[in-house]
Amino acid sequence: MNPDEQELSRLVRSKDPDGIRCFYDRYAGYLAAVCSRYLTSEADVEDTLQESFLLMIDHMGRFEYRGAGSLKAWASRIVANQSLKLLRKNGRLTFLEDLPDLEEEEDFSLPDIPPGVIQEMIRSLPDGYRTVFNLFVFEKKSHKEIAALLGIKADSSASQFFRARAALVKKIKDYLKEQNNG
Amino acid sequence: MGKNWTDRLPDLLQDYQEAPPEGLWDAVSSRMVSRKRRIPAAVWYVAGGLAAAAAAVLLLFLRPSAPVPSVTVVPGDLAQVTPGPVIPEPVPTTPVISGPNRESPAPKSDGGVPENGTPPAKTGQNDGDVPENGTPPSPEQEMADQVGHDEASVTVIPGSEPVIPRTERESPAPGLRVTLASSGMQQHASATTQGYGLPSGIITKASGEQDAPDYRMLGRNKPSTADTRYSRLPRWSLGVNIGLPFRLSLETGLVLSPLRTTAVAEVGSYHYETRTDQYYLGIPLYLQYSIWEGRRLGVYASGGPMYQFAVATRTRTTTTPLSGGNTQTIAEDKTLCRDALWSANLALGLQFRLFQHSALFVQPGVTWYFPGPEAPQSLYTEQRTAFELTFGYRVQLF
């Protein structure tokens, strides 16, 4: 069974068991990666993915196919929202402000690094940095939207994003140094 | 590239995957398959609500017409009218208005024969008058007598011109009423799920708690059975009812609805119980129509939307070792779980006027809930149509 996204959404909407299994098999790995970018606890990832899949299956009627990749993007948004909900509920969204500013080089460019390594670097960021970074970079939200979502000021969102980016640059450089020495 | 190197990250990770947690598919599929609802109860609630709505619609269309007051004019002499909101018009003859609280003008001792020879109309029996000539009251007068004291009626003598227009009671009379009500009916839905690990409905760590033991890890990948029960506790409302013309009135106010979700699970060596109380404040806007109003009793229909939003949340989890031991509270949380939703209500009410300006009422009806896509699981998401029984007390201010 290898339906396209539009057909797959139709099958899930009609609660076809094979369609639902196909939907799970196709996106579980990707959505697990999305979720673990937000949540560092394995138990939280498991719970959030469980809730997210049930939500997606129950509310597939609300999905409107808009071209290739739209179903994946829709599912990804649901997982991100559920992850955010859990972070808010568990009070894990702390925004570190009392740290010295990290200087970022103007001409830094992203080297070729395995995606898994980048993923782990993002996961290792503090909760607040990581959340703002994910929302800005992967969900393409503005700082104003992020501020409304997280209950912070837009300036704080921008500050958190800047710090997250600078921290990532440092991690990338440290990684490259290790690779060169190794 | 500079500061925009982060723009490359979505492309870099767009195909990146990780192994899903072990047992995830089993957990998802078992929750889909094992979901049970109290379908028989829901069917009854829906049927009851539809029956109430159908009765309201039928009564609206099949209600008997209001008793038509008639006008009595005795040309050239007297017309006897019981009090009511009468709009007089210029008449060739001069009517005299009398009623239960007014002294009826004494009939002329000379018999008062009007110019055209028609005998004077009789007064209602409520003033104790006995027709001078002993003639029993005319059918029109009898009809007028049967009309309540607070109804306006004027009896027409056939052949005479009705000069005072018919009065129609438009009830409820325009005014302002305050309502205190309670909906005592508890609806509930339940679900039983089977899976692995601690179900997500069970909270084990309050927000902000970082060092508490992780009961989730203790129960990970262990088979579990969870029973979740959703209910609504008695709802209280305080409303203002504004009377309008044409038997209509508008009611608004505040409604406090507490919802309770109880999740019970046994995982590994522990029995868990989480109780979540979510309080919603609602602002209704109901239109009421008075179908029939008698001296004491009245029947009305009511319907309209209500907007509700969560104002408080309280969650508490207790755990008991299955091997025996004390129950202990492992998590308490008051973080507000934000939620807002619309609902629509249709009801039929029966009102009993206790005193002149106040009444008791009972109002069965049906409510449809429209929760948002990310609403927390509660009665509103698990049983979106509910039959309700509301009873209360209305006081008319003016």
Side-chain angles (χ1 to χ4, degrees):
Chain A
M1 187 183 214
N2 193 22
D4 63 10
E5 281 193 336
Q6 192 169 16
E7 176 63 13
L8 188 57
S9 68
R10 190 193 66 76
L11 288 169
V12 173
R13 197 178 310 131
S14 61
K15 301 290 191 282
D16 178 76
D18 292 334
I20 291 173
R21 183 64 204 242
C22 179
F23 175 76
Y24 173 86
D25 289 337
R26 190 177 292 189
Y27 297 116
Y30 170 72
L31 295 175
V34 169
C35 191
S36 68
R37 264 207 306 275
Y38 285 89
L39 304 170
T40 53
S41 158
E42 283 184 38
D44 287 344
V45 169
E46 185 175 345
D47 289 340
T48 302
L49 282 175
Q50 205 181 115
E51 288 302 318
S52 299
F53 270 105
L54 288 169
L55 264 177
M56 286 185 265
I57 291 163
D58 282 344
H59 297 287
M60 189 58 74
R62 293 174 196 251
F63 167 71
E64 191 183 322
Y65 181 72
R66 291 178 186 173
S70 58
L71 181 58
K72 187 178 178 181
W74 180 78
S76 168
R77 269 201 305 279
I78 289 179
V79 168
N81 286 341
Q82 290 300 306
S83 304
L84 208 56
K85 196 171 166 183
L86 189 70
L87 282 170
R88 278 199 300 252
K89 190 178 173 187
N90 291 346
R92 299 227 191 104
L93 284 176
T94 51
F95 298 95
L96 303 173
E97 294 282 3
D98 298 328
L99 292 176
D101 284 336
L102 298 171
E103 288 185 13
E104 187 183 335
E105 292 182 12
E106 289 288 331
D107 57 352
F108 178 81
S109 66
L110 188 65
D112 285 330
I113 295 182
V117 173
I118 284 285
Q119 173 91 352
E120 281 308 309
M121 288 179 183
I122 294 173
R123 290 191 71 199
S124 67
L125 292 171
D127 289 342
Y129 288 7
R130 187 175 71 249
T131 305
V132 172
F133 187 85
N134 280 325
L135 289 171
F136 188 84
V137 171
F138 296 99
E139 304 305 317
K140 309 275 191 235
K141 294 213 180 284
S142 67
H143 287 301
K144 194 175 174 187
E145 288 169 325
I146 294 171
L149 268 175
L150 303 181
I152 58 176
K153 296 179 185 173
D155 288 347
S156 298
S157 173
S159 163
Q160 295 290 308
F161 173 70
F162 171 76
R163 291 168 192 276
R165 193 172 59 189
L168 271 178
V169 167
K170 184 173 184 308
K171 288 178 190 292
I172 291 170
K173 286 183 176 175
D174 291 343
Y175 169 79
L176 291 172
K177 208 179 281 181
E178 275 179 33
Q179 292 294 303
N180 289 338
N181 292 343
Chain B
M1 180 77 56
K3 291 186 178 178
N4 294 334
W5 60 269
T6 53
D7 293 343
R8 278 189 57 199
L9 289 177
D11 291 334
L12 186 64
L13 294 175
Q14 69 173 350
D15 294 322
Y16 176 70
Q17 299 189 22
E18 289 183 357
E22 190 184 325
L24 177 62
W25 170 247
D26 290 333
V28 170
S29 59
S30 66
R31 278 183 70 178
M32 280 193 318
V33 169
S34 302
R35 244 180 221 177
K36 290 176 193 173
R37 294 173 192 276
R38 292 196 175 216
I39 294 174
V43 167
W44 284 114
Y45 289 147
V46 170
L50 287 174
V57 170
L58 279 173
L59 279 169
L60 272 171
F61 285 102
L62 298 178
R63 65 182 172 88
S65 53
V68 175
S70 52
V71 177
T72 299
V73 172
V74 178
D77 192 19
L78 303 172
Q80 288 156 343
V81 179
T82 54
V86 174
I87 305 170
E89 288 181 359
V91 298
T93 56
T94 303
V96 173
I97 298 174
S98 67
N101 294 324
R102 306 181 194 181
E103 282 190 17
S104 302
K108 294 181 182 174
S109 55
D110 59 1
V113 177
E115 287 179 1
N116 64 358
T118 310
K122 304 294 182 286
T123 60
Q125 290 179 349
N126 53 8
D127 59 8
D129 280 350
V130 174
E132 278 189 350
N133 62 2
T135 309
S138 66
E140 291 82 3
Q141 190 62 52
E142 279 187 355
M143 187 174 74
D145 291 345
Q146 284 165 10
V147 175
H149 288 286
D150 52 356
E151 291 279 358
S153 68
V154 180
T155 307
V156 176
I157 292 181
S160 63
E161 293 289 332
V163 294
I164 300 176
R166 291 175 178 176
T167 60
E168 284 190 5
R169 180 166 178 81
E170 297 170 344
S171 55
L176 188 67
R177 286 166 284 275
V178 172
T179 304
L180 177 65
S182 173
S183 234
M185 180 76 77
Q186 280 197 36
Q187 304 101 21
H188 49 267
S190 64
T192 300
T193 58
Q194 292 176 350
Y196 295 88
L198 219 56
S200 59
I202 306 278
I203 71 139
T204 56
K205 197 179 284 189
S207 60
E209 246 180 57
Q210 303 297 332
D211 299 326
D214 195 342
Y215 285 87
R216 291 197 178 280
M217 293 307 294
L218 290 176
R220 263 198 89 207
N221 293 325
K222 292 192 170 68
S224 65
T225 301
D227 287 313
T228 308
R229 180 183 162 99
Y230 308 95
S231 55
R232 199 198 73 195
L233 305 180
R235 161 193 280 187
W236 292 90
S237 62
L238 182 64
V240 168
N241 186 291
I242 303 162
L244 303 171
F246 310 112
R247 296 172 171 259
L248 292 170
S249 63
L250 202 62
E251 180 157 318
T252 186
L254 293 173
V255 178
L256 183 66
S257 305
L259 299 189
R260 176 165 289 174
T261 303
T262 308
V264 174
E266 287 185 359
V267 184
S269 311
Y270 291 92
H271 171 96
Y272 298 88
E273 185 168 327
T274 289
R275 192 176 83 183
T276 300
D277 288 332
Q278 178 95 336
Y279 295 86
Y280 286 81
L281 195 63
I283 303 169
L285 192 64
Y286 296 148
L287 192 64
Q288 291 185 351
Y289 179 78
S290 175
I291 297 168
W292 173 80
E293 185 155 331
R295 197 171 162 188
R296 288 269 189 202
L297 287 176
V299 179
Y300 62 91
S302 169
M306 179 163 72
Y307 180 72
Q308 296 186 78
F309 52 95
V311 292
T313 308
R314 264 200 316 228
T315 306
R316 187 163 161 265
T317 297
T318 56
T319 182
T320 310
L322 290 175
S323 57
N326 294 332
T327 298
Q328 56 170 332
T329 300
I330 59 172
E332 285 190 276
D333 198 353
K334 291 186 180 178
T335 306
L336 176 65
C337 189
R338 295 186 192 281
D339 184 34
L341 72 156
W342 285 93
S343 62
N345 174 269
L346 197 59
L348 193 64
L350 180 68
Q351 185 168 281
F352 176 73
R353 196 176 298 122
L354 271 180
F355 306 106
Q356 189 178 3
H357 296 296
S358 63
L360 288 172
F361 67 90
V362 61
Q363 186 176 294
V366 62
T367 301
W368 295 273
Y369 300 109
F370 306 102
E374 295 188 11
Q377 270 185 306
S378 68
L379 189 72
Y380 290 157
T381 58
E382 301 304 301
Q383 190 171 311
R384 299 192 185 191
T385 303
F387 177 71
E388 300 184 345
L389 188 65
T390 304
F391 47 90
Y393 189 64
R394 272 196 191 100
V395 174
Q396 177 137 7
L397 297 181
F398 59 86

